[in-house]
Each structure stands twice: as structure tokens, then as C-alpha cells.
């Protein structure tokens, strides 16, 4: 509860990792040059254009914006390795009701998997929305919705590898 969404793209999901880049799922049809919106903590809408989309593998990509956003108004939640079996809040398309929490486990081929039930299943449009855990008393991003069956990329692992190679 009370998860700060000011670092997410409106309707699209993804999460800021710094003042001008977001993690997102590669299969979402975000295009170079597309205008995107973030809703600030102060209620003001911030518009930016996507200037690049770099695939990291396993349906994870980095979206780069044309200009930085104000991180006093748009929160960057840290990315962390998931705690397997810990309660995890799964964000959904903004107009859809939150369906409680799930837990994260290991899926196939290096992917993570949510333990979904008919009460907390995902549907089309929920892709790219974050999986949030509380670790050390703070909200952290541990995954992103990639399929309606609850699979997602190992965000921490892929992002760490990407940062090492920069």
C-alpha cells in the first residue's frame, strides 16, 4: 500500500532507474519518438519523448528519455534481488483494482514467476507494471509483469549486468 507511482509511465508502467531512464518490458510497443507521461508527486504531468529502447534480454529493456525528470517530483525506487516467497505487490493498469499480494519464485529459462491465483491473475495491459517488495523497510522493484501467467524478467540480474558493461 501507499506505493509511490510517480516514477512510472502513465498507463505504460516501467520504473525510473535514474532521472532519464526506465526499465520496461521489451514486448510493449513503445516507439522511439513517442511522447510519454509521468504523473508527479505534485500532481503535475511531465511529458518526455523516448529517444532509445535498448533490449537487455528476457523481455527487459531500458527506455531513455530526451530530458531528465525532476527526481524531487518523480521517485526512483531502487531495484533489488527479490526475496523468494516474500509478499509482493503487483502493480496493474491504473484503472484496474489491485488484487492483493503474491509471492515471487523462480520460473523457467532464468525468468521469475509470481504465484498467481484466480483472485490475483493478470490480464493484457498489465505488462510492464512493477512487482514491489518491502525490503529493509523500503519499497523496492523486484520484477515487471511480462506475461499474463505471471512470468517476468530477472530485473536485478539483467540491470546489474547492463550497468557493468557500460
Amino acid at each position: 500500500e501507499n506505493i509511490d507511482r510517480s516514477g512510472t509511465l502513465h498507463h505504460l508502467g516501467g520504473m525510473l532507474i535514474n532521472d532519464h531512464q526506465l526499465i520496461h518490458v521489451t514486448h510493449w510497443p513503445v516507439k522511439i519518438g513517442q511522447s510519454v507521461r509521468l504523473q508527479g508527486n505534485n500532481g503535475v504531468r511531465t511529458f518526455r519523448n523516448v529517444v532509445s529502447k535498448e533490449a537487455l534480454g528476457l523481455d527487459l529493456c531500458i527506455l531513455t528519455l530526451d530530458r531528465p525528470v525532476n527526481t524531487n517530483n518523480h521517485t526512483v525506487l531502487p531495484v533489488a534481488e527479490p526475496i523468494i516467497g516474500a509478499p509482493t505487490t503487483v502493480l496493474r493498469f491504473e484503472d484496474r483494482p489491485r488484487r492483493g499480494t503474491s509471492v515471487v519464485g523462480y520460473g523457467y529459462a532464468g525468468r521469475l514467476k509470481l504465484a498467481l491465483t484466480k483472485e490475483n491473475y493478470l490480464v493484457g495491459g498489465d505488462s510492464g507494471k512493477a512487482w514491489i517488495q518491502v525490503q529493509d523497510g523500503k519499497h523496492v522493484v523486484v520484477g515487471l509483469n511480462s506475461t499474463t501467467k505471471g512470468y517476468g524478467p530477472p530485473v536485478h540480474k539483467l540491470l546489474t549486468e547492463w550497468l557493468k558493461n557500460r
Side-chain angles (χ1 to χ4, degrees):
E1 296 302 317
N2 300 318
I3 295 170
D4 184 344
R5 291 180 177 221
S6 65
T8 67
L9 294 178
H10 179 68
H11 289 321
L12 302 176
M15 296 296 293
L16 283 172
I17 57 170
N18 57 44
D19 68 357
H20 68 286
Q21 292 178 308
L22 301 99
I23 52 173
H24 205 285
V25 289
T26 308
H27 79 266
W28 194 271
V30 175
K31 295 179 175 36
I32 306 303
Q34 179 176 341
S35 180
V36 295
R37 174 173 62 132
L38 296 95
Q39 186 77 23
N41 284 320
N42 63 1
V44 173
R45 297 173 176 179
T46 300
F47 294 89
R48 296 291 184 267
N49 292 320
V50 175
V51 294
S52 73
K53 181 176 182 178
E54 182 179 351
L56 305 187
L58 298 175
D59 201 24
L60 183 69
C61 69
I62 301 290
L63 300 178
T64 301
L65 304 175
D66 61 341
R67 293 173 303 164
V69 298
N70 180 344
T71 54
N72 292 321
N73 195 31
H74 299 284
T75 302
V76 176
L77 294 178
V79 171
E81 190 70 38
I83 298 173
I84 302 302
T88 305
T89 299
V90 180
L91 299 183
R92 303 185 68 225
F93 199 79
E94 290 143 359
D95 297 342
R96 296 179 180 156
R98 193 170 297 155
R99 291 198 173 114
T101 60
S102 187
V103 296
V104 178
Y106 294 109
Y108 69 96
R111 289 171 171 79
L112 299 173
K113 172 81 169 90
L114 292 169
L116 297 177
T117 65
K118 68 179 183 176
E119 288 79 29
N120 65 3
Y121 67 92
L122 301 171
V123 295
D126 288 336
S127 289
K129 313 312 182 279
W131 303 353
I132 308 290
Q133 288 183 343
V134 177
Q135 295 183 8
D136 297 322
K138 297 180 184 195
H139 287 130
V140 297
V141 178
V142 298
L144 297 175
N145 296 330
S146 181
T147 72
T148 57
K149 298 198 183 308
Y151 289 97
V155 173
H156 184 266
K157 177 182 179 214
L158 294 171
L159 187 57
T160 300
E161 289 172 2
W162 180 74
L163 288 169
K164 278 187 205 175
N165 295 321
R166 290 187 57 84

